[in-house]
PDB file of all heavy atoms in Angstrom:
ATOM      1  N   GLY S   1     -34.983  -9.129  34.306  1.00  0.00           N
ATOM      2  CA  GLY S   1     -34.775  -7.851  33.606  1.00  0.00           C
ATOM      3  C   GLY S   1     -33.703  -7.010  34.283  1.00  0.00           C
ATOM      4  O   GLY S   1     -33.568  -5.848  34.045  1.00  0.00           O
ATOM      5  N   TYR S   2     -32.872  -7.612  35.150  1.00  0.00           N
ATOM      6  CA  TYR S   2     -31.820  -6.972  35.905  1.00  0.00           C
ATOM      7  C   TYR S   2     -32.345  -5.968  36.935  1.00  0.00           C
ATOM      8  O   TYR S   2     -31.616  -5.164  37.473  1.00  0.00           O
ATOM      9  CB  TYR S   2     -30.793  -6.290  34.974  1.00  0.00           C
ATOM     10  CG  TYR S   2     -29.998  -7.306  34.183  1.00  0.00           C
ATOM     11  CD1 TYR S   2     -30.401  -7.765  32.990  1.00  0.00           C
ATOM     12  CD2 TYR S   2     -28.767  -7.748  34.686  1.00  0.00           C
ATOM     13  CE1 TYR S   2     -29.668  -8.680  32.244  1.00  0.00           C
ATOM     14  CE2 TYR S   2     -27.993  -8.692  33.967  1.00  0.00           C
ATOM     15  CZ  TYR S   2     -28.463  -9.133  32.780  1.00  0.00           C
ATOM     16  OH  TYR S   2     -27.746 -10.073  32.062  1.00  0.00           O
ATOM     17  N   LEU S   3     -33.646  -6.060  37.221  1.00  0.00           N
ATOM     18  CA  LEU S   3     -34.266  -5.152  38.127  1.00  0.00           C
ATOM     19  C   LEU S   3     -34.881  -5.934  39.322  1.00  0.00           C
ATOM     20  O   LEU S   3     -35.628  -6.891  39.096  1.00  0.00           O
ATOM     21  CB  LEU S   3     -35.367  -4.335  37.420  1.00  0.00           C
ATOM     22  CG  LEU S   3     -34.942  -3.516  36.250  1.00  0.00           C
ATOM     23  CD1 LEU S   3     -36.151  -2.901  35.562  1.00  0.00           C
ATOM     24  CD2 LEU S   3     -33.970  -2.436  36.656  1.00  0.00           C
ATOM     25  N   PRO S   4     -34.641  -5.494  40.545  1.00  0.00           N
ATOM     26  CA  PRO S   4     -35.267  -6.175  41.669  1.00  0.00           C
ATOM     27  C   PRO S   4     -36.732  -5.838  41.764  1.00  0.00           C
ATOM     28  O   PRO S   4     -37.220  -4.873  41.135  1.00  0.00           O
ATOM     29  CB  PRO S   4     -34.489  -5.612  42.875  1.00  0.00           C
ATOM     30  CG  PRO S   4     -34.117  -4.263  42.427  1.00  0.00           C
ATOM     31  CD  PRO S   4     -33.798  -4.328  40.947  1.00  0.00           C
ATOM     32  N   HIS S   5     -37.464  -6.650  42.512  1.00  0.00           N
ATOM     33  CA  HIS S   5     -38.845  -6.366  42.708  1.00  0.00           C
ATOM     34  C   HIS S   5     -39.065  -5.043  43.479  1.00  0.00           C
ATOM     35  O   HIS S   5     -38.306  -4.744  44.430  1.00  0.00           O
ATOM     36  CB  HIS S   5     -39.525  -7.495  43.490  1.00  0.00           C
ATOM     37  CG  HIS S   5     -39.698  -8.738  42.694  1.00  0.00           C
ATOM     38  ND1 HIS S   5     -39.976  -8.742  41.345  1.00  0.00           N
ATOM     39  CD2 HIS S   5     -39.619 -10.043  43.020  1.00  0.00           C
ATOM     40  CE1 HIS S   5     -40.065  -9.963  40.895  1.00  0.00           C
ATOM     41  NE2 HIS S   5     -39.830 -10.805  41.873  1.00  0.00           N
ATOM     42  N   TYR S   6     -40.070  -4.328  43.037  1.00  0.00           N
ATOM     43  CA  TYR S   6     -40.687  -3.198  43.800  1.00  0.00           C
ATOM     44  C   TYR S   6     -39.889  -1.889  43.735  1.00  0.00           C
ATOM     45  O   TYR S   6     -40.401  -0.875  44.188  1.00  0.00           O
ATOM     46  CB  TYR S   6     -40.933  -3.574  45.262  1.00  0.00           C
ATOM     47  CG  TYR S   6     -41.633  -4.872  45.507  1.00  0.00           C
ATOM     48  CD1 TYR S   6     -41.367  -5.641  46.610  1.00  0.00           C
ATOM     49  CD2 TYR S   6     -42.535  -5.366  44.550  1.00  0.00           C
ATOM     50  CE1 TYR S   6     -42.054  -6.861  46.832  1.00  0.00           C
ATOM     51  CE2 TYR S   6     -43.158  -6.584  44.734  1.00  0.00           C
ATOM     52  CZ  TYR S   6     -42.926  -7.361  45.878  1.00  0.00           C
ATOM     53  OH  TYR S   6     -43.572  -8.523  46.070  1.00  0.00           O
ATOM     54  N   THR S   7     -38.656  -1.885  43.228  1.00  0.00           N
ATOM     55  CA  THR S   7     -38.012  -0.543  43.098  1.00  0.00           C
ATOM     56  C   THR S   7     -38.507   0.102  41.810  1.00  0.00           C
ATOM     57  O   THR S   7     -38.748  -0.568  40.841  1.00  0.00           O
ATOM     58  CB  THR S   7     -36.471  -0.680  43.078  1.00  0.00           C
ATOM     59  OG1 THR S   7     -36.092  -1.533  41.988  1.00  0.00           O
ATOM     60  CG2 THR S   7     -35.941  -1.199  44.399  1.00  0.00           C
ATOM     61  N   ALA S   8     -38.589   1.430  41.801  1.00  0.00           N
ATOM     62  CA  ALA S   8     -38.986   2.194  40.638  1.00  0.00           C
ATOM     63  C   ALA S   8     -37.925   3.245  40.391  1.00  0.00           C
ATOM     64  O   ALA S   8     -37.861   4.236  41.152  1.00  0.00           O
ATOM     65  CB  ALA S   8     -40.367   2.806  40.827  1.00  0.00           C
ATOM     66  N   ASP S   9     -37.110   3.030  39.402  1.00  0.00           N
ATOM     67  CA  ASP S   9     -36.035   3.999  39.091  1.00  0.00           C
ATOM     68  C   ASP S   9     -36.666   5.281  38.487  1.00  0.00           C
ATOM     69  O   ASP S   9     -37.354   5.237  37.485  1.00  0.00           O
ATOM     70  CB  ASP S   9     -35.068   3.410  38.053  1.00  0.00           C
ATOM     71  CG  ASP S   9     -34.378   2.168  38.566  1.00  0.00           C
ATOM     72  OD1 ASP S   9     -34.442   1.931  39.766  1.00  0.00           O
ATOM     73  OD2 ASP S   9     -33.746   1.474  37.750  1.00  0.00           O
ATOM     74  N   ILE S  10     -36.405   6.412  39.140  1.00  0.00           N
ATOM     75  CA  ILE S  10     -36.913   7.659  38.651  1.00  0.00           C
ATOM     76  C   ILE S  10     -35.853   8.379  37.816  1.00  0.00           C
ATOM     77  O   ILE S  10     -36.173   8.949  36.768  1.00  0.00           O
ATOM     78  CB  ILE S  10     -37.304   8.596  39.834  1.00  0.00           C
ATOM     79  CG1 ILE S  10     -38.264   7.818  40.803  1.00  0.00           C
ATOM     80  CG2 ILE S  10     -37.903   9.853  39.357  1.00  0.00           C
ATOM     81  CD1 ILE S  10     -39.551   7.337  40.154  1.00  0.00           C
ATOM     82  N   SER S  11     -34.627   8.263  38.155  1.00  0.00           N
ATOM     83  CA  SER S  11     -33.492   8.783  37.391  1.00  0.00           C
ATOM     84  C   SER S  11     -32.363   7.835  37.554  1.00  0.00           C
ATOM     85  O   SER S  11     -32.098   7.326  38.650  1.00  0.00           O
ATOM     86  CB  SER S  11     -33.141  10.209  37.880  1.00  0.00           C
ATOM     87  OG  SER S  11     -32.077  10.741  37.104  1.00  0.00           O
ATOM     88  N   GLY S  12     -31.616   7.566  36.463  1.00  0.00           N
ATOM     89  CA  GLY S  12     -30.557   6.562  36.538  1.00  0.00           C
ATOM     90  C   GLY S  12     -31.156   5.163  36.455  1.00  0.00           C
ATOM     91  O   GLY S  12     -32.304   4.953  36.202  1.00  0.00           O
ATOM     92  N   VAL S  13     -30.284   4.157  36.602  1.00  0.00           N
ATOM     93  CA  VAL S  13     -30.652   2.767  36.516  1.00  0.00           C
ATOM     94  C   VAL S  13     -30.016   1.935  37.607  1.00  0.00           C
ATOM     95  O   VAL S  13     -28.788   1.909  37.692  1.00  0.00           O
ATOM     96  CB  VAL S  13     -30.277   2.162  35.133  1.00  0.00           C
ATOM     97  CG1 VAL S  13     -30.594   0.671  35.059  1.00  0.00           C
ATOM     98  CG2 VAL S  13     -30.937   2.917  34.012  1.00  0.00           C
ATOM     99  N   PHE S  14     -30.801   1.360  38.478  1.00  0.00           N
ATOM    100  CA  PHE S  14     -30.321   0.541  39.611  1.00  0.00           C
ATOM    101  C   PHE S  14     -30.557  -0.931  39.241  1.00  0.00           C
ATOM    102  O   PHE S  14     -31.653  -1.445  39.302  1.00  0.00           O
ATOM    103  CB  PHE S  14     -31.066   0.925  40.865  1.00  0.00           C
ATOM    104  CG  PHE S  14     -30.778   2.315  41.391  1.00  0.00           C
ATOM    105  CD1 PHE S  14     -31.295   3.444  40.741  1.00  0.00           C
ATOM    106  CD2 PHE S  14     -29.967   2.508  42.481  1.00  0.00           C
ATOM    107  CE1 PHE S  14     -31.002   4.683  41.182  1.00  0.00           C
ATOM    108  CE2 PHE S  14     -29.678   3.767  42.932  1.00  0.00           C
ATOM    109  CZ  PHE S  14     -30.197   4.895  42.301  1.00  0.00           C
ATOM    110  N   GLU S  15     -29.451  -1.604  38.847  1.00  0.00           N
ATOM    111  CA  GLU S  15     -29.523  -2.961  38.357  1.00  0.00           C
ATOM    112  C   GLU S  15     -28.931  -4.000  39.306  1.00  0.00           C
ATOM    113  O   GLU S  15     -28.022  -3.707  40.070  1.00  0.00           O
ATOM    114  CB  GLU S  15     -28.702  -3.038  37.024  1.00  0.00           C
ATOM    115  CG  GLU S  15     -29.288  -2.274  35.882  1.00  0.00           C
ATOM    116  CD  GLU S  15     -28.543  -2.499  34.555  1.00  0.00           C
ATOM    117  OE1 GLU S  15     -27.475  -3.105  34.628  1.00  0.00           O
ATOM    118  OE2 GLU S  15     -29.052  -2.084  33.522  1.00  0.00           O
ATOM    119  N   LEU S  16     -29.478  -5.260  39.210  1.00  0.00           N
ATOM    120  CA  LEU S  16     -28.913  -6.368  39.899  1.00  0.00           C
ATOM    121  C   LEU S  16     -27.538  -6.654  39.342  1.00  0.00           C
ATOM    122  O   LEU S  16     -27.365  -6.671  38.146  1.00  0.00           O
ATOM    123  CB  LEU S  16     -29.811  -7.585  39.768  1.00  0.00           C
ATOM    124  CG  LEU S  16     -31.202  -7.469  40.406  1.00  0.00           C
ATOM    125  CD1 LEU S  16     -32.137  -8.545  39.921  1.00  0.00           C
ATOM    126  CD2 LEU S  16     -31.120  -7.485  41.925  1.00  0.00           C
ATOM    127  N   ALA S  17     -26.552  -6.871  40.226  1.00  0.00           N
ATOM    128  CA  ALA S  17     -25.180  -7.084  39.762  1.00  0.00           C
ATOM    129  C   ALA S  17     -24.411  -7.868  40.812  1.00  0.00           C
ATOM    130  O   ALA S  17     -24.869  -8.094  41.934  1.00  0.00           O
ATOM    131  CB  ALA S  17     -24.502  -5.741  39.529  1.00  0.00           C
ATOM    132  N   GLU S  18     -23.210  -8.323  40.410  1.00  0.00           N
ATOM    133  CA  GLU S  18     -22.288  -8.932  41.340  1.00  0.00           C
ATOM    134  C   GLU S  18     -21.650  -7.811  42.188  1.00  0.00           C
ATOM    135  O   GLU S  18     -21.372  -6.724  41.710  1.00  0.00           O
ATOM    136  CB  GLU S  18     -21.191  -9.712  40.615  1.00  0.00           C
ATOM    137  CG  GLU S  18     -21.674 -10.948  39.940  1.00  0.00           C
ATOM    138  CD  GLU S  18     -22.076 -12.016  40.970  1.00  0.00           C
ATOM    139  OE1 GLU S  18     -21.397 -12.166  42.017  1.00  0.00           O
ATOM    140  OE2 GLU S  18     -23.109 -12.721  40.702  1.00  0.00           O
ATOM    141  N   ARG S  19     -21.450  -8.134  43.479  1.00  0.00           N
ATOM    142  CA  ARG S  19     -20.709  -7.188  44.300  1.00  0.00           C
ATOM    143  C   ARG S  19     -19.280  -7.032  43.778  1.00  0.00           C
ATOM    144  O   ARG S  19     -18.690  -7.981  43.236  1.00  0.00           O
ATOM    145  CB  ARG S  19     -20.686  -7.712  45.756  1.00  0.00           C
ATOM    146  CG  ARG S  19     -21.931  -7.588  46.512  1.00  0.00           C
ATOM    147  CD  ARG S  19     -21.911  -8.336  47.843  1.00  0.00           C
ATOM    148  NE  ARG S  19     -20.800  -7.880  48.680  1.00  0.00           N
ATOM    149  CZ  ARG S  19     -20.911  -7.196  49.820  1.00  0.00           C
ATOM    150  NH1 ARG S  19     -22.136  -6.841  50.253  1.00  0.00           N
ATOM    151  NH2 ARG S  19     -19.853  -6.879  50.565  1.00  0.00           N
ATOM    152  N   PRO S  20     -18.693  -5.836  43.927  1.00  0.00           N
ATOM    153  CA  PRO S  20     -17.339  -5.642  43.461  1.00  0.00           C
ATOM    154  C   PRO S  20     -16.323  -6.523  44.170  1.00  0.00           C
ATOM    155  O   PRO S  20     -15.228  -6.754  43.646  1.00  0.00           O
ATOM    156  CB  PRO S  20     -17.092  -4.145  43.690  1.00  0.00           C
ATOM    157  CG  PRO S  20     -18.122  -3.683  44.604  1.00  0.00           C
ATOM    158  CD  PRO S  20     -19.297  -4.583  44.389  1.00  0.00           C
ATOM    159  N   ASP S  21     -16.637  -6.978  45.409  1.00  0.00           N
ATOM    160  CA  ASP S  21     -15.739  -7.866  46.125  1.00  0.00           C
ATOM    161  C   ASP S  21     -16.075  -9.321  45.872  1.00  0.00           C
ATOM    162  O   ASP S  21     -15.472 -10.252  46.456  1.00  0.00           O
ATOM    163  CB  ASP S  21     -15.802  -7.587  47.643  1.00  0.00           C
ATOM    164  CG  ASP S  21     -17.193  -7.692  48.200  1.00  0.00           C
ATOM    165  OD1 ASP S  21     -18.095  -8.187  47.485  1.00  0.00           O
ATOM    166  OD2 ASP S  21     -17.391  -7.275  49.339  1.00  0.00           O
ATOM    167  N   HIS S  22     -17.024  -9.562  44.904  1.00  0.00           N
ATOM    168  CA  HIS S  22     -17.392 -10.909  44.493  1.00  0.00           C
ATOM    169  C   HIS S  22     -17.921 -11.780  45.682  1.00  0.00           C
ATOM    170  O   HIS S  22     -17.795 -12.995  45.677  1.00  0.00           O
ATOM    171  CB  HIS S  22     -16.232 -11.621  43.801  1.00  0.00           C
ATOM    172  CG  HIS S  22     -15.666 -10.868  42.684  1.00  0.00           C
ATOM    173  ND1 HIS S  22     -16.296 -10.683  41.513  1.00  0.00           N
ATOM    174  CD2 HIS S  22     -14.451 -10.218  42.555  1.00  0.00           C
ATOM    175  CE1 HIS S  22     -15.561  -9.935  40.672  1.00  0.00           C
ATOM    176  NE2 HIS S  22     -14.424  -9.666  41.298  1.00  0.00           N
ATOM    177  N   LYS S  23     -18.565 -11.116  46.632  1.00  0.00           N
ATOM    178  CA  LYS S  23     -19.127 -11.844  47.775  1.00  0.00           C
ATOM    179  C   LYS S  23     -20.640 -11.854  47.733  1.00  0.00           C
ATOM    180  O   LYS S  23     -21.317 -11.683  48.775  1.00  0.00           O
ATOM    181  CB  LYS S  23     -18.615 -11.202  49.077  1.00  0.00           C
ATOM    182  CG  LYS S  23     -17.126 -11.320  49.321  1.00  0.00           C
ATOM    183  CD  LYS S  23     -16.750 -10.711  50.656  1.00  0.00           C
ATOM    184  CE  LYS S  23     -15.251 -10.886  50.886  1.00  0.00           C
ATOM    185  NZ  LYS S  23     -14.810 -10.279  52.176  1.00  0.00           N
ATOM    186  N   GLY S  24     -21.178 -12.071  46.577  1.00  0.00           N
ATOM    187  CA  GLY S  24     -22.621 -12.147  46.466  1.00  0.00           C
ATOM    188  C   GLY S  24     -23.192 -11.074  45.465  1.00  0.00           C
ATOM    189  O   GLY S  24     -22.470 -10.527  44.679  1.00  0.00           O
ATOM    190  N   LYS S  25     -24.503 -10.862  45.599  1.00  0.00           N
ATOM    191  CA  LYS S  25     -25.161  -9.964  44.694  1.00  0.00           C
ATOM    192  C   LYS S  25     -25.536  -8.655  45.396  1.00  0.00           C
ATOM    193  O   LYS S  25     -25.590  -8.619  46.630  1.00  0.00           O
ATOM    194  CB  LYS S  25     -26.413 -10.626  44.130  1.00  0.00           C
ATOM    195  CG  LYS S  25     -26.117 -11.909  43.278  1.00  0.00           C
ATOM    196  CD  LYS S  25     -27.354 -12.421  42.692  1.00  0.00           C
ATOM    197  CE  LYS S  25     -27.043 -13.687  41.875  1.00  0.00           C
ATOM    198  NZ  LYS S  25     -26.116 -13.426  40.774  1.00  0.00           N
ATOM    199  N   CYS S  26     -25.776  -7.638  44.613  1.00  0.00           N
ATOM    200  CA  CYS S  26     -26.110  -6.318  45.125  1.00  0.00           C
ATOM    201  C   CYS S  26     -26.881  -5.555  44.098  1.00  0.00           C
ATOM    202  O   CYS S  26     -27.256  -6.088  43.045  1.00  0.00           O
ATOM    203  CB  CYS S  26     -24.859  -5.571  45.568  1.00  0.00           C
ATOM    204  SG  CYS S  26     -23.765  -5.077  44.140  1.00  0.00           S
ATOM    205  N   LEU S  27     -27.110  -4.272  44.353  1.00  0.00           N
ATOM    206  CA  LEU S  27     -27.741  -3.370  43.443  1.00  0.00           C
ATOM    207  C   LEU S  27     -26.707  -2.332  43.011  1.00  0.00           C
ATOM    208  O   LEU S  27     -26.010  -1.794  43.873  1.00  0.00           O
ATOM    209  CB  LEU S  27     -28.968  -2.710  44.079  1.00  0.00           C
ATOM    210  CG  LEU S  27     -30.079  -2.205  43.211  1.00  0.00           C
ATOM    211  CD1 LEU S  27     -30.645  -3.358  42.363  1.00  0.00           C
ATOM    212  CD2 LEU S  27     -31.211  -1.563  44.075  1.00  0.00           C
ATOM    213  N   HIS S  28     -26.636  -2.119  41.691  1.00  0.00           N
ATOM    214  CA  HIS S  28     -25.561  -1.244  41.179  1.00  0.00           C
ATOM    215  C   HIS S  28     -26.276  -0.103  40.360  1.00  0.00           C
ATOM    216  O   HIS S  28     -26.995  -0.397  39.399  1.00  0.00           O
ATOM    217  CB  HIS S  28     -24.631  -2.005  40.288  1.00  0.00           C
ATOM    218  CG  HIS S  28     -23.521  -1.201  39.731  1.00  0.00           C
ATOM    219  ND1 HIS S  28     -22.762  -1.601  38.629  1.00  0.00           N
ATOM    220  CD2 HIS S  28     -22.930   0.008  40.093  1.00  0.00           C
ATOM    221  CE1 HIS S  28     -21.832  -0.705  38.337  1.00  0.00           C
ATOM    222  NE2 HIS S  28     -21.932   0.273  39.233  1.00  0.00           N
ATOM    223  N   GLN S  29     -26.076   1.122  40.768  1.00  0.00           N
ATOM    224  CA  GLN S  29     -26.502   2.263  39.924  1.00  0.00           C
ATOM    225  C   GLN S  29     -25.424   2.414  38.866  1.00  0.00           C
ATOM    226  O   GLN S  29     -24.278   2.865  39.147  1.00  0.00           O
ATOM    227  CB  GLN S  29     -26.670   3.511  40.766  1.00  0.00           C
ATOM    228  CG  GLN S  29     -27.521   4.607  40.069  1.00  0.00           C
ATOM    229  CD  GLN S  29     -26.973   5.179  38.808  1.00  0.00           C
ATOM    230  OE1 GLN S  29     -27.480   4.926  37.714  1.00  0.00           O
ATOM    231  NE2 GLN S  29     -25.884   5.904  38.919  1.00  0.00           N
ATOM    232  N   VAL S  30     -25.750   2.190  37.611  1.00  0.00           N
ATOM    233  CA  VAL S  30     -24.768   2.027  36.561  1.00  0.00           C
ATOM    234  C   VAL S  30     -24.503   3.219  35.700  1.00  0.00           C
ATOM    235  O   VAL S  30     -23.555   3.279  34.936  1.00  0.00           O
ATOM    236  CB  VAL S  30     -25.142   0.821  35.653  1.00  0.00           C
ATOM    237  CG1 VAL S  30     -25.182  -0.470  36.458  1.00  0.00           C
ATOM    238  CG2 VAL S  30     -26.495   1.065  34.925  1.00  0.00           C
ATOM    239  N   ILE S  31     -25.377   4.270  35.762  1.00  0.00           N
ATOM    240  CA  ILE S  31     -25.217   5.413  34.876  1.00  0.00           C
ATOM    241  C   ILE S  31     -24.308   6.427  35.512  1.00  0.00           C
ATOM    242  O   ILE S  31     -24.726   7.144  36.464  1.00  0.00           O
ATOM    243  CB  ILE S  31     -26.609   6.048  34.531  1.00  0.00           C
ATOM    244  CG1 ILE S  31     -27.558   4.918  34.071  1.00  0.00           C
ATOM    245  CG2 ILE S  31     -26.438   7.134  33.520  1.00  0.00           C
ATOM    246  CD1 ILE S  31     -27.084   4.151  32.854  1.00  0.00           C
ATOM    247  N   LYS S  32     -23.092   6.525  35.039  1.00  0.00           N
ATOM    248  CA  LYS S  32     -22.098   7.366  35.663  1.00  0.00           C
ATOM    249  C   LYS S  32     -22.347   8.843  35.446  1.00  0.00           C
ATOM    250  O   LYS S  32     -22.158   9.662  36.335  1.00  0.00           O
ATOM    251  CB  LYS S  32     -20.704   6.968  35.214  1.00  0.00           C
ATOM    252  CG  LYS S  32     -20.258   5.592  35.616  1.00  0.00           C
ATOM    253  CD  LYS S  32     -18.823   5.368  35.197  1.00  0.00           C
ATOM    254  CE  LYS S  32     -18.322   3.989  35.678  1.00  0.00           C
ATOM    255  NZ  LYS S  32     -16.911   3.769  35.298  1.00  0.00           N
ATOM    256  N   ALA S  33     -22.671   9.185  34.225  1.00  0.00           N
ATOM    257  CA  ALA S  33     -22.688  10.631  33.861  1.00  0.00           C
ATOM    258  C   ALA S  33     -24.053  11.088  33.308  1.00  0.00           C
ATOM    259  O   ALA S  33     -24.111  12.036  32.527  1.00  0.00           O
ATOM    260  CB  ALA S  33     -21.595  10.933  32.855  1.00  0.00           C
ATOM    261  N   GLY S  34     -25.117  10.420  33.730  1.00  0.00           N
ATOM    262  CA  GLY S  34     -26.424  10.863  33.286  1.00  0.00           C
ATOM    263  C   GLY S  34     -26.713  10.403  31.858  1.00  0.00           C
ATOM    264  O   GLY S  34     -25.970   9.609  31.252  1.00  0.00           O
ATOM    265  N   ALA S  35     -27.825  10.871  31.317  1.00  0.00           N
ATOM    266  CA  ALA S  35     -28.264  10.478  29.972  1.00  0.00           C
ATOM    267  C   ALA S  35     -28.751  11.743  29.271  1.00  0.00           C
ATOM    268  O   ALA S  35     -28.807  12.812  29.842  1.00  0.00           O
ATOM    269  CB  ALA S  35     -29.410   9.476  30.107  1.00  0.00           C
ATOM    270  N   GLN S  36     -29.002  11.583  27.970  1.00  0.00           N
ATOM    271  CA  GLN S  36     -29.674  12.651  27.203  1.00  0.00           C
ATOM    272  C   GLN S  36     -31.162  12.514  27.479  1.00  0.00           C
ATOM    273  O   GLN S  36     -31.916  11.916  26.686  1.00  0.00           O
ATOM    274  CB  GLN S  36     -29.348  12.535  25.738  1.00  0.00           C
ATOM    275  CG  GLN S  36     -27.879  12.707  25.418  1.00  0.00           C
ATOM    276  CD  GLN S  36     -27.598  12.600  23.914  1.00  0.00           C
ATOM    277  OE1 GLN S  36     -28.177  13.340  23.120  1.00  0.00           O
ATOM    278  NE2 GLN S  36     -26.652  11.713  23.595  1.00  0.00           N
ATOM    279  N   SER S  37     -31.626  13.050  28.577  1.00  0.00           N
ATOM    280  CA  SER S  37     -32.991  12.837  29.066  1.00  0.00           C
ATOM    281  C   SER S  37     -34.002  13.709  28.260  1.00  0.00           C
ATOM    282  O   SER S  37     -33.698  14.789  27.887  1.00  0.00           O
ATOM    283  CB  SER S  37     -33.097  13.154  30.538  1.00  0.00           C
ATOM    284  OG  SER S  37     -32.409  12.214  31.337  1.00  0.00           O
ATOM    285  N   TRP S  38     -35.166  13.092  28.108  1.00  0.00           N
ATOM    286  CA  TRP S  38     -36.276  13.808  27.460  1.00  0.00           C
ATOM    287  C   TRP S  38     -36.733  14.930  28.361  1.00  0.00           C
ATOM    288  O   TRP S  38     -36.991  16.044  27.880  1.00  0.00           O
ATOM    289  CB  TRP S  38     -37.387  12.846  27.239  1.00  0.00           C
ATOM    290  CG  TRP S  38     -38.648  13.469  26.701  1.00  0.00           C
ATOM    291  CD1 TRP S  38     -38.949  13.807  25.420  1.00  0.00           C
ATOM    292  CD2 TRP S  38     -39.796  13.908  27.450  1.00  0.00           C
ATOM    293  NE1 TRP S  38     -40.183  14.398  25.338  1.00  0.00           N
ATOM    294  CE2 TRP S  38     -40.735  14.464  26.580  1.00  0.00           C
ATOM    295  CE3 TRP S  38     -40.104  13.854  28.832  1.00  0.00           C
ATOM    296  CZ2 TRP S  38     -41.937  14.977  27.004  1.00  0.00           C
ATOM    297  CZ3 TRP S  38     -41.329  14.377  29.260  1.00  0.00           C
ATOM    298  CH2 TRP S  38     -42.256  14.908  28.349  1.00  0.00           C
ATOM    299  N   ALA S  39     -36.846  14.664  29.672  1.00  0.00           N
ATOM    300  CA  ALA S  39     -37.197  15.688  30.645  1.00  0.00           C
ATOM    301  C   ALA S  39     -35.960  16.083  31.436  1.00  0.00           C
ATOM    302  O   ALA S  39     -34.975  15.363  31.488  1.00  0.00           O
ATOM    303  CB  ALA S  39     -38.298  15.127  31.584  1.00  0.00           C
TER     304      ALA S  39
END
């Protein structure tokens, strides 16, 4: 689900992704400018 085990995103989205230097995998917070949040 693009989500690592045991993390709980409270705001934003922290997804499994390729490192920007292409040297393996990492976690990427992908929401640049927030969302239209309910709360």
Side-chain angles (χ1 to χ4, degrees):
Y2 291 87
L3 301 174
H5 288 324
Y6 312 150
T7 58
D9 297 348
I10 307 301
S11 181
V13 176
F14 292 74
E15 293 186 350
L16 295 166
E18 289 292 321
R19 285 170 57 110
D21 56 11
H22 306 291
K23 293 182 179 179
K25 298 185 181 299
C26 68
L27 206 57
H28 182 199
Q29 198 297 109
V30 298
I31 309 303
K32 293 185 177 182
Q36 297 181 54
S37 289
W38 173 84

